[in-house]
């Protein structure tokens, strides 16, 4: 079930989709972009939940945990992944920029910054802001404080 909040933070049920959606964002054109749990499937949905486009994610770098429209033509997706090596399991974060027209990943990069818990900063809710000549990564910290962590890239 997809829900939203009104200005008073009252919950309103919007629609259901026959999949577990892990992240969703408004594309600003009357449609929504969503990823399935594990981000194996990309969706374009109407605001009433009708599936307008559905595509298999060809990338397996990270499982997207959050998505954000960063321009009329681009979505930022952030998440986590892991790699098995002789030294054990390597957990890493990642971010990707996708085109809104066809959901093609045009850039992806690992994110090595971590929270105090050791998890990647892209593990939970994530938002990017452009401020003057720098980029600020904001994330929900993975601990019991429900605080917001900030990382700045100049």
């Amino acid at each position: 079930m997809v829900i939203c909040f009104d200005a008073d933070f009252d919950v309103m049920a919007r629609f259901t989709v026959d999949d577990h959606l892990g992240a969703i964002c408004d594309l600003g054109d009357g449609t929504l972009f969503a990823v399935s749990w594990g981000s194996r499937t990309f969706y374009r949905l109407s605001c009433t939940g009708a599936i307008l486009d559905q595509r298999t994610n060809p990338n397996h770098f990270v499982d997207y945990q959050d998505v954000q429209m960063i321009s009329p033509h681009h979505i930022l997706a952030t998440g986590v992944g892991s790699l098995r090596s002789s030294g054990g399991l390597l957990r890493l974060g990642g971010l990707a920029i996708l085109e809104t027209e066809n959901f093609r990943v045009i850039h992806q990069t690992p994110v090595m910054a971590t929270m105090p818990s050791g998890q990647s900063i892209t593990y939970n809710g994530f938002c990017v802001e452009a401020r003057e000549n720098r980029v600020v990564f904001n994330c929900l910290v993975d601990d019991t404080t429900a605080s917001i962590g900030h990382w700045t890239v100049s």
Side-chain angles (χ1 to χ4, degrees):
M1 174 178 294
V2 174
I3 62 169
C4 66
F5 298 92
D6 66 16
D8 297 320
F9 292 103
D10 292 326
V11 176
M12 298 181 303
R14 296 297 296 226
F15 55 82
T16 60
V17 174
D18 192 22
D19 197 346
H20 183 126
L21 301 180
I24 190 167
C25 72
D26 186 340
L27 292 177
D29 63 358
T31 66
L32 305 168
F33 172 73
V35 298
S36 64
W37 191 258
S39 62
R40 299 291 54 94
T41 306
F42 295 148
Y43 294 99
R44 181 183 306 272
L45 305 169
S46 73
C47 288
T48 59
I51 297 174
L52 306 174
D53 192 1
Q54 177 178 340
R55 298 175 187 225
T56 299
N57 177 1
N59 299 289
H60 298 281
F61 176 58
V62 297
D63 292 342
Y64 302 135
Q65 306 293 311
D66 212 342
V67 292
Q68 170 186 349
M69 190 175 99
I70 56 173
S71 82
H73 305 288
H74 299 99
I75 300 163
L76 175 72
T78 58
V80 293
S82 59
L83 301 169
R84 295 203 184 278
S85 70
S86 59
L89 191 64
L90 171 65
R91 296 184 185 277
L92 60 124
L95 62 85
I97 298 174
L98 293 78
E99 295 177 330
T100 56
E101 181 180 330
N102 57 18
F103 309 144
R104 186 174 67 91
V105 174
I106 58 172
H107 182 76
Q108 57 188 354
T109 188
V111 174
M112 300 307 292
T114 59
M115 295 181 274
S117 68
Q119 289 284 7
S120 171
I121 64 172
T122 59
Y123 184 75
N124 288 319
F126 194 88
C127 176
V128 173
E129 295 178 275
R131 294 187 194 164
E132 298 172 7
N133 61 348
R134 57 198 168 121
V135 175
V136 179
F137 295 158
N138 303 290
C139 73
L140 184 60
V141 175
D142 186 29
D143 62 15
T144 59
T145 65
S147 60
I148 304 294
H150 308 279
W151 284 260
T152 302
V153 179
S154 297

